[in-house]
Amino acid sequence: MEVVRLRVNGDERVCGVPAHYTLLETLRYGLGLTGSKQGCDKGDCGACTVIVDGRAILSCITPVWEAEGREVRTVEGLARGTEPHPVQDEFDLNGAAQCGFCTPGILCSSVALLDRNPTPTREEIRAALAGNLCRCTGYAKIYDAVEAAATRVGGEARRPDGAGPGPAPKRTPARGVGV
Amino acid sequence: MSARDGRGRASGRDAPAAGQPGDGLSTIGRPMRKVDGLAKSTGRARYTDDIRLPGMLHGKILRSPHPHARIVAIDTSRAEALEGVHAVVTGSDMPTRYGIIPWTPDEYPLCVDRVRHIGDGVAAVAAVDEDTANAALDLIDVAYEELPAYLDPHKAIAADSGPYIHEPRKPGQNGNVTKVVRLEFGDVEAGLGDSHVVVEGDYFFEGTTHTPIEPHCAIGLAEGNGKLTVWSATQVPHYLHRELARVLEVDPAHVRVIQPPVGGAFGGKSEPFDLEFCVAKLSMMTGRPVKILYTREEVFYSHRGRHPFHMRYRTGATRDGMLTSVDAEIVMDGGAYASFGLVTTYYAGQLLTAPYRMPAYRFHSTRAYTNKPACGPKRGHGSVQPRFAFEVQLDRIAERLEIDPIGLRRRNFIGANTRTVNDLRITSNGFLECLDEVERASDWKRKHRRLPFGRGVGVAGSTYITGTNYPIYPNDMPQSGIQLQVDRSGRVAVFSGASEIGQGVDSMVAYIVAEELGVPLDHVRVLAGDTDFTPVDLGAYSSRVTFMLGNACIDAARKLKTQVQEAVAAEWGVKPREVLLAGGLAVQAGDTGTSMPVRDAFNLAEAAAGTLGATGSYNTPKDVHGDYRGATIGASPAYSFTAHVAEVEVDVETGFVTVDRIWIAHDCGRALNPVLVAGQMEGSAYMGFAEALMEEQIFKTEDQGRAGLHNAPSLLDYRIPTSLDTPALESLIVESIDPEGPYGAKEAGEGPLHPSIPAIANAIYDAVGVRMDSLPFSPPRVWRALRSAGVTGARRGVAR
Ligand code: FES
Ligand code: FES
């Protein structure tokens, strides 16, 4: 057992883990932060993506000690209080999460992108997500969600269409579908 | 009939479509949030591996290193002696055969006396942690006697003496054959003889696997009182419930299966797996909860994915392009166990008979066992492979007759409200509109045969079932059930036995309840996937849940609504049908001034009739099929229809094919939520594209060293498309409003996969004049095909 000290989602955490633990194992099994997923455990799928010092990294191939003393942000740390991050909200509005298993990793890659580039083109979004496999969506709705979030992060107010009995349905933007 | 794009906008047909003004619906047909959307985008959704129970042990399964061998002896004593190991289990502890199809039970939870593929489970351990469990596996001694392995289905079928992969069912039979189906409708030879053109071809569809991003995971918890709970990432909690009880000899009333959100499945989690039996048994032995999580490598070896098909087709047509006769000969490589193979063997032929009229049709399909992981159902079960071959044949006929390929398909349209040559009952059919949509959206007329060399477009069509009329085990009970319960706050709880695997079924039932009872969507709570609390739904397979559970849900909601209408009508002194429930209110028809919050209406009804609740169910139409043996297989309450156009670019120097865009038009009956329907269409087309260009689940042969070893059991080496590989996908929703579907809905989750592959094959031909008859169309294959056709430079070759 080793004692590791991590800063995770703004909290200072101390945790005893086996010496060979990865950051992913420490998050999931040591700290109970199960939002980050394990799809392959060898760096191939991106489900375990978290943000370390502003960069999206694969936590399943990051030894936990490499994250010591750094700022770790996981899917649980993207919302501000009860208000979801615009990317999280847009994933919901655009149907960008089907099974949702790739979603935490894709959200982290997207937030890392938007933090350094609040107005990405669709090609830049595609490139930023190239390390995150999604087996459900064909990626199209994910691009829609990230683009819509970029508009919001970039400051343009997006008024949810309040019509209908349920939560605000998606507005139909006046542009073509597809990539 | 109407058509819409993937955002739910009408594309200019006879309106109103659902979700458009004037349809009389408030929730159905509109883009709505998913009920679990926020849980999934905040990391709060708890998948099976996210669950940790106090005192939980970790299990691991020891797997066979041989493709085919007798188990001579297993010694677990050294493993048992290891500090931290709590239990070891072997095949003889669970010696009951099972199989998802009750007529072909041919596997054990762990192998008893024989291993049949590399990766077959032999023993399992439960230990304090994963490291100890792994160490314990190394201490289990298994003595094997190797047997000759069959890796080629043709050789397996040709075998005339044992040892076969399974014991023959009758002496003298070949134990390497799972199933043979031979069916003929009409006079095929006469039809071919009378044809103006007959095209013949051999096709090969390489096997592929599902690769959901979530690996299989299960937790077992046996309590001292005889109760057994299993959490599992499964698509079929009901079948798992039955098989756990039967195999482990536990009273089914004591077994509870909980299905947490599933991180993708695609058919790969639609039967019981070794880990579910092992966690249950290990927990029964230790009294502690036990979890097993597959490694990614184990997911590849558990497989149950798309069968490799060797196919030969002959298709005849008249001078004006009307189909006369189709003849198919299919050999399927089934792997080591039957899985759903009996059904696959039928589907291989049965599901080809629409959307085109076929006067005569014959198929002969044989499923062979081989010493590789078992194949099973992958999205578009059994019908994706024949569809590839057949749609390429249609393209060849169109070319020979100099008819536009879309025109040829229109000409042969089977129509609505009709029967296929094998007596499947077709009701709604929007296939022509699908063709219109892709033709228009892709600008087909300006592109087909007109693009510069190296660029091309191709079209293909298809049909698929919306569930099956006959369940997997014979019974007369409903296929789907649901229960609603109303509380005094105006909230409606829905108890649903259906499996949320990402397709959005939990949201679908919430939309229906909101629509029928007039409550806001966020007043509907869906409690799903727990056999202790929910009525039976047979599972998330064969594209059945929207149709079947949706109808059950309408049934329950309308019963509940009647109670509410009666109570409010008595209060207002009007007739019950004059009470409308909409927009959170009970309103008097024709007098919007008279209304009350729907919560008050519920309270009135509770006061009048007692605690408010209702159950609903749906059962399929029976006896609407032919009267030949096998006629029930492929019979569905409704069929979906799809057309794709793909646009590709072929690099003649490298054989590299780039798919730029796929236009996907799909008749889903009615889009209950167009965003979710488009998501299914895009995900399907993506998966078809992946199979067309990239994916192959292949195993080493004898001359490649370790026979039967998976060639690439990782997500790096088994290549699935990243965002950079995936083409632009354009969804075009067609709504034919099915007479029996919920609000007219049919399936959308599997049908739209089928045409991607032949559309890409046909587009490659349009681009470079080379027919691709073997999958996948990887650069080496395409390059070789170009070379052998004499296409070498940046100029149009001779083969066109
Ligand atoms: S789990 Fe880390 S990349 Fe797959
Ligand atoms: S939503 Fe299922 S893997 Fe992406």
Side-chain angles (χ1 to χ4, degrees):
Chain A
M1 281 285 175
E2 303 274 311
V3 174
V4 290
R5 285 165 203 285
L6 294 174
R7 202 168 164 78
V8 183
N9 299 328
D11 290 341
E12 214 43 76
R13 303 293 301 264
V14 181
C15 182
V17 296
H20 63 72
Y21 254 29
T22 62
L23 176 57
L24 179 65
E25 287 167 315
T26 307
L27 291 169
R28 288 179 57 79
Y29 309 137
L31 300 174
L33 290 169
T34 52
S36 305
K37 301 302 180 210
Q38 183 200 299
C40 69
D41 210 22
K42 47 167 73 168
D44 297 339
C45 74
C48 63
T49 305
V50 300
I51 304 170
V52 175
D53 285 348
R55 281 187 49 220
I57 60 112
L58 299 174
S59 64
C60 75
I61 48 170
T62 303
V64 62
W65 46 263
E66 269 193 16
E68 278 197 290
R70 296 174 161 196
E71 196 74 41
V72 180
R73 216 169 152 206
T74 69
V75 67
E76 289 96 339
L78 301 181
R80 202 179 300 145
T82 57
E83 193 187 324
H85 188 286
V87 183
Q88 294 175 302
D89 194 40
E90 290 295 341
F91 261 61
D92 189 11
L93 284 166
N94 287 277
Q98 286 186 24
C99 80
F101 206 77
C102 69
T103 307
I106 293 193
L107 288 166
C108 287
S109 291
S110 305
V111 169
L113 168 70
L114 294 179
D115 281 352
R116 67 169 187 273
N117 175 7
T119 54
T121 63
R122 192 161 268 232
E123 281 314 307
E124 288 169 331
I125 298 170
R126 279 180 82 170
L129 300 183
N132 293 88
L133 295 175
C134 174
R135 194 57 166 165
C136 296
T137 61
Y139 304 101
K141 300 255 175 291
I142 293 174
Y143 304 146
D144 288 348
V146 178
E147 276 184 348
T151 314
R152 279 164 66 170
V153 170
E156 275 183 55
R158 222 174 98 94
R159 191 188 61 84
D161 180 347
K170 181 181 180 299
R171 258 176 58 211
T172 303
R175 58 182 155 76
V177 292
V179 178
Chain B
M1 193 81 64
S2 72
R4 293 195 279 165
D5 69 14
R7 288 159 195 276
R9 294 175 306 205
S11 76
R13 308 195 158 268
D14 9 343
Q20 308 300 322
D23 64 8
L25 298 167
S26 58
T27 305
I28 293 300
R30 291 178 157 66
M32 304 296 270
R33 287 178 191 261
K34 283 169 77 174
V35 295
D36 52 358
L38 205 58
K40 284 180 173 171
S41 69
T42 52
R44 277 204 315 276
R46 288 220 304 168
Y47 299 80
T48 308
D49 187 43
D50 299 338
I51 298 168
R52 297 208 107 187
L53 300 176
M56 193 168 77
L57 300 173
H58 293 267
K60 284 280 170 193
I61 298 175
L62 180 70
R63 299 190 174 279
S64 165
H66 303 297
H68 198 188
R70 264 192 203 95
I71 300 174
V72 179
I74 305 184
D75 182 356
T76 60
S77 55
R78 289 196 303 142
E80 277 158 28
L82 183 70
E83 174 69 34
V85 171
H86 285 255
V88 183
V89 63
T90 64
S92 59
D93 295 311
M94 297 180 276
T96 303
R97 279 204 180 95
Y98 73 93
I100 184 70
I101 303 293
W103 294 275
T104 55
D106 64 357
E107 44 191 322
Y108 296 101
L110 293 169
C111 297
V112 173
D113 50 7
R114 186 103 76 94
V115 292
R116 293 182 170 85
H117 65 88
I118 292 180
D120 227 354
V122 174
V125 302
V128 285
D129 54 35
E130 247 188 305
D131 292 345
T132 310
N134 276 324
L137 293 187
D138 291 340
L139 300 176
I140 298 174
D141 301 303
V142 187
Y144 294 100
E145 177 195 325
E146 286 191 58
L147 297 169
Y150 291 98
L151 297 170
D152 177 335
H154 296 101
K155 287 186 187 153
I157 292 169
D160 52 10
S161 65
Y164 298 113
I165 298 173
H166 290 274
E167 289 311 314
R169 273 186 287 278
K170 290 187 197 133
Q173 283 185 341
N174 180 350
N176 291 347
V177 175
T178 322
K179 180 73 188 169
V180 178
V181 178
R182 236 184 265 266
L183 286 171
E184 180 163 357
F185 309 94
D187 190 337
V188 167
E189 289 306 328
L192 290 172
D194 291 345
S195 299
H196 176 73
V197 18
V198 176
V199 295
E200 286 190 49
D202 290 305
Y203 302 88
F204 175 60
F205 197 117
E206 186 57 272
T208 64
T209 198
H210 320 82
T211 63
I213 304 299
E214 177 199 36
H216 303 56
C217 184
I219 303 170
L221 174 62
E223 292 165 82
N225 53 11
K227 298 233 170 92
L228 172 67
T229 303
V230 171
W231 289 257
S232 180
T234 178
Q235 300 172 247
V236 286
H238 176 63
Y239 296 133
L240 179 58
H241 183 184
R242 286 168 56 88
E243 293 301 273
L244 282 170
R246 202 174 61 78
V247 171
L248 301 174
E249 296 172 354
V250 183
D251 180 348
H254 282 173
V255 177
R256 175 181 185 186
V257 174
I258 299 177
Q259 178 241 304
V262 172
F266 316 110
K269 297 170 180 169
S270 58
E271 57 200 290
F273 285 87
D274 53 13
L275 81 169
E276 291 153 329
F277 297 105
C278 288
V279 293
K281 186 71 184 179
L282 288 166
S283 184
M284 288 162 73
M285 291 163 74
T286 59
R288 309 247 311 246
V290 178
K291 178 193 278 184
I292 295 180
L293 167 68
Y294 274 177
T295 63
R296 178 52 61 179
E297 195 172 4
E298 285 178 294
V299 177
F300 278 100
Y301 277 101
S302 67
H303 190 30
R304 316 283 156 152
R306 185 109 50 226
H307 290 67
F309 270 31
H310 301 262
M311 302 172 279
R312 177 164 189 78
Y313 276 82
R314 291 191 296 158
T315 306
T318 63
R319 185 182 300 272
D320 54 2
M322 302 305 291
L323 293 176
T324 52
S325 199
V326 179
D327 184 26
E329 185 81 29
I330 300 171
V331 171
M332 307 156 55
D333 184 349
Y337 296 102
S339 177
F340 281 83
L342 183 143
V343 177
T344 323
T345 316
Y346 274 104
Y347 278 4
Q350 287 289 73
L351 301 185
L352 196 70
T353 53
Y356 315 111
R357 196 178 300 108
M358 281 180 195
Y361 176 48
R362 175 169 66 199
F363 71 92
H364 172 199
S365 53
T366 306
R367 184 183 191 269
Y369 285 119
T370 52
N371 291 113
K372 295 181 280 191
C375 299
K378 182 180 168 191
R379 203 172 198 172
H381 182 191
S383 77
V384 169
Q385 303 96 321
R387 184 57 64 183
F388 154 61
F390 183 63
E391 294 284 330
V392 170
Q393 293 244 301
L394 289 185
D395 211 58
R396 288 176 54 193
I397 291 174
E399 189 200 10
R400 287 268 296 273
L401 296 173
E402 297 183 353
I403 299 174
D404 173 72
I406 292 183
L408 180 95
R409 286 170 171 81
R410 273 198 192 105
R411 226 172 261 201
N412 284 286
F413 177 55
I414 194 168
N417 303 312
T418 183
R419 293 270 180 156
T420 64
V421 67
N422 55 343
D423 248 334
L424 305 179
R425 183 195 66 151
I426 304 285
T427 52
S428 60
N429 187 342
F431 183 59
L432 284 184
E433 288 72 16
C434 293
L435 289 174
D436 293 350
E437 284 296 300
V438 292
E439 182 182 58
R440 175 189 59 73
S442 68
D443 206 2
W444 172 265
K445 289 191 182 128
R446 293 228 328 256
K447 286 180 180 163
H448 183 243
R449 298 194 149 258
R450 293 193 163 76
L451 292 172
F453 182 71
R455 269 195 100 73
V457 288
V459 67
S462 68
T463 186
Y464 200 63
I465 51 174
T466 302
T468 62
N469 284 352
Y470 290 84
I472 283 175
Y473 68 95
N475 73 83
D476 295 325
M477 290 176 277
Q479 287 216 26
S480 267
I482 203 157
Q483 184 173 355
L484 306 182
Q485 181 195 301
V486 174
D487 84 354
R488 294 180 183 180
S489 69
R491 184 175 58 198
V492 186
V494 184
F495 297 89
S496 159
S499 300
E500 175 63 63
I501 59 172
Q503 82 282 48
V505 58
D506 287 356
S507 301
M508 187 270 299
V509 294
Y511 303 149
I512 291 178
V513 167
E515 180 68 48
E516 292 294 326
L517 298 178
V519 297
L521 190 57
D522 59 4
H523 286 189
V524 184
R525 297 282 190 285
V526 182
L527 299 113
D530 184 332
T531 59
D532 259 17
F533 297 133
T534 60
V536 166
D537 174 89
L538 294 183
Y541 63 90
S542 78
S543 275
R544 52 179 296 289
V545 288
T546 293
F547 197 98
M548 299 193 189
L549 189 75
N551 274 327
C553 192
I554 291 177
D555 180 37
R558 291 194 179 157
K559 284 179 192 159
L560 196 60
K561 185 173 173 176
T562 303
Q563 294 182 13
V564 177
Q565 285 172 313
E566 280 168 2
V568 177
E571 177 83 4
W572 287 343
V574 299
K575 296 204 177 68
R577 64 180 157 77
E578 291 176 77
V579 178
L580 309 179
L581 303 181
L585 297 172
V587 187
Q588 189 184 330
D591 172 13
T592 47
T594 306
S595 71
M596 68 172 79
V598 74
R599 179 186 58 225
D600 296 353
F602 288 163
N603 293 351
L604 273 181
E606 187 178 338
T611 300
L612 274 189
T615 59
S617 49
Y618 171 79
N619 211 345
T620 42
K622 300 293 194 298
D623 303 319
V624 290
H625 51 76
D627 61 1
Y628 56 94
R629 185 183 163 89
T632 56
I633 305 185
S636 171
Y639 295 83
S640 74
F641 297 92
T642 315
H644 287 189
V645 166
E647 182 165 345
V648 308
E649 189 170 340
V650 182
D651 182 333
V652 179
E653 299 302 325
T654 61
F656 199 92
V657 177
T658 307
V659 179
D660 286 330
R661 189 172 286 261
I662 303 176
W663 291 268
I664 315 149
H666 179 69
D667 166 22
C668 66
R670 187 194 288 270
L672 300 184
N673 176 341
V675 174
L676 301 195
V677 169
Q680 290 302 308
M681 292 164 62
E682 289 155 11
S684 292
Y686 147 90
M687 204 169 261
F689 154 80
E691 295 186 60
L693 292 197
M694 297 169 74
E695 296 186 18
E696 36 188 353
Q697 165 97 338
I698 46 177
F699 299 86
K700 297 202 188 306
T701 59
E702 291 87 348
D703 23 310
Q704 291 171 316
R706 293 269 313 274
L709 192 72
H710 195 295
N711 197 51
S714 80
L715 289 176
L716 185 66
D717 299 314
Y718 178 94
R719 293 196 54 223
I720 74 175
T722 67
S723 54
L724 295 176
D725 303 308
T726 305
L729 304 168
E730 192 160 320
S731 302
L732 305 152
I733 296 173
V734 170
E735 299 185 303
S736 60
I737 314 298
D738 186 77
E740 294 172 28
Y743 310 97
K746 304 188 282 190
E747 76 90 30
E750 301 190 71
L753 188 153
H754 294 70
S756 316
I757 300 161
I760 291 170
N762 293 337
I764 292 172
Y765 183 78
D766 190 46
V768 292
V770 170
R771 288 281 173 207
M772 294 303 304
D773 295 335
S774 281
L775 284 161
F777 313 140
S778 55
R781 272 217 175 91
V782 175
W783 188 85
R784 278 197 295 272
L786 287 164
R787 286 298 168 281
S788 58
V791 183
T792 50
R795 291 183 50 200
R796 197 167 288 256
V798 289
R800 184 133 184 158

